[in-house]
Amino acid sequence: RREITAEFLFFELSAVGFLGLASMLFKEKQMGVIRVHGILPVSKSAFIVSKLTLLFISDMAFTVLMTFINLGFSAGMTILPGVLIQAGILSLIMALVGFLCAVRLPDFKQFSLFYLILAIFITTPVFLAGQTDIQWSWIDYHPMYHLFTAMKSAYFGMPVYQLPYYVICTVVIILLFLLAHKTLSCEMAKEG
């Protein structure tokens, strides 16, 4: 149950983080919210943070419910802190990637095609990491592999304590945020 819960949560957070924010943003683009926001005195960072916060809270609630439903309350409570950290990292990364793609791509059809390709790339570690009879040495270079193994380790009560992992995740989140900010600024300049 722990293994399938970790895999399912990884799938869900990857998909919801990417698609959830993007679909919300595409709807807002159609309604002209980005154009209107471009002339408001609220910063672009606040616009991005508001979207991320909404998705982050829903992802954390989903993680808690999924853990308790599948593992029970007592088993879930023991591993929940480590699981929430990994879920939070994955949620922020996928939401920021979804934000970037939604702002950059002109319509949902192109976005959907891009997502199909990205979904295969993102979920590759789930299918290949569990293979014991075949050694996939290149999988260590897959960026999502480390997020997946950290999520799986957290579900088995062995959270990641390696500082470089958290430093890299933090740097990636900051860089994605800065790139999202720059992309949104360019889009608002184009719109307005």
Side-chain angles (χ1 to χ4, degrees):
R1 290 190 116 183
R2 289 174 188 258
E3 187 166 347
I4 197 71
T5 303
E7 291 172 359
F8 187 72
L9 186 64
F10 184 81
F11 278 129
E12 286 298 313
L13 293 181
S14 297
V16 170
F18 191 78
L19 291 174
L21 189 59
S23 62
M24 183 173 32
L25 212 53
F26 273 115
K27 188 67 178 168
E28 289 180 354
K29 277 172 78 172
Q30 287 176 348
M31 293 169 31
V33 172
I34 291 180
R35 186 177 302 135
V36 170
H37 188 80
I39 59 171
L40 291 176
V42 180
S43 73
K44 293 167 193 71
S45 297
F47 182 77
I48 297 168
V49 168
S50 68
K51 305 293 181 208
L52 290 176
T53 303
L54 177 66
L55 200 63
F56 183 80
I57 290 169
S58 66
D59 283 349
M60 294 302 101
F62 179 75
T63 300
V64 169
L65 289 173
M66 178 95 155
T67 303
F68 286 158
I69 289 170
N70 286 320
L71 303 180
F73 186 75
S74 61
M77 281 304 290
T78 60
I79 62 166
L80 198 57
V83 169
L84 284 174
I85 290 170
Q86 301 311 319
I89 291 169
L90 182 61
S91 173
L92 289 173
I93 289 173
M94 292 310 298
L96 284 165
V97 171
F99 186 94
L100 278 168
C101 294
V103 171
R104 203 74 180 131
L105 296 172
D107 60 24
F108 199 74
K109 287 181 184 177
Q110 287 184 6
F111 178 82
S112 300
L113 179 63
F114 179 73
Y115 177 69
L116 288 175
I117 296 165
L118 190 66
I120 293 168
F121 175 74
I122 290 168
T123 57
T124 300
V126 176
F127 298 112
L128 298 182
Q131 299 291 334
T132 54
D133 33 342
I134 302 172
Q135 295 296 323
W136 304 97
S137 57
W138 60 268
I139 198 82
D140 289 336
Y141 300 105
H142 194 294
M144 299 307 285
Y145 171 73
H146 301 286
L147 291 171
F148 173 66
T149 55
M151 176 78 72
K152 200 169 177 180
S153 295
Y155 265 100
F156 283 95
M158 302 175 295
V160 177
Y161 292 114
Q162 299 156 342
L163 185 61
Y165 168 79
Y166 292 108
V167 169
I168 291 170
C169 288
T170 303
V171 167
V172 166
I173 290 168
I174 291 169
L175 288 175
L176 284 171
F177 184 85
L178 294 173
L179 190 57
H181 191 279
K182 184 175 174 51
T183 305
L184 183 63
S185 297
C186 292
E187 186 67 21
M188 284 180 175
K190 209 185 327 179
E191 292 275 334

